[in-house]
Amino acid sequence: MSDDAVSPEEVRHVAELARVDLADDEVDRFAGQFADILEYFETLDEVPEVDREADLANVMRPDEERASLDSEEALRNAPETEDGYFKGPNVS
């Protein structure tokens, strides 16, 4: 674990931001896990950068217009439709 340990207060703050309730034993466990994760990031910072090509090229193909399904064909296998559109579940 890193020298810069994550405090229980920091864990509780992150849990509050995420709207997660943690018991005291979970706070201690997550403090250790967060410290380990931060240590992994510190290790990644030590990886040397590699040279890369300065000029990037667009590798995407240009858009091509082509025939597509008409509305009736597109809706044929839909479980539910309404007024010529796909109908999805209600979202509260």
Side-chain angles (χ1 to χ4, degrees):
M1 197 160 48
S2 174
D3 293 336
D4 301 321
V6 177
S7 72
E9 292 76 27
E10 291 170 314
V11 173
R12 286 187 181 92
H13 178 70
V14 170
E16 182 181 326
L17 292 174
R19 296 186 172 115
V20 175
D21 292 327
L22 296 178
D24 288 341
D25 63 322
E26 292 173 313
V27 170
D28 293 337
R29 185 169 30 131
F30 282 118
Q33 290 175 351
F34 285 161
D36 290 342
I37 291 168
L38 293 174
E39 187 174 341
Y40 293 134
F41 277 105
E42 289 172 7
T43 301
L44 288 175
D45 285 340
E46 296 171 10
V47 175
E49 290 187 27
V50 295
D51 291 335
R52 56 190 163 125
E53 294 181 29
D55 296 328
L56 298 177
N58 184 359
V59 294
M60 303 294 286
R61 65 169 172 74
D63 289 340
E64 297 174 7
E65 191 173 316
R66 56 186 175 170
S68 61
L69 299 174
D70 63 31
S71 294
E72 187 177 304
E73 286 178 292
L75 296 171
R76 187 174 299 139
N77 290 322
E80 283 191 70
T81 63
E82 185 175 297
D83 299 326
Y85 296 97
F86 292 97
K87 182 175 181 182
N90 290 334
V91 179
S92 56

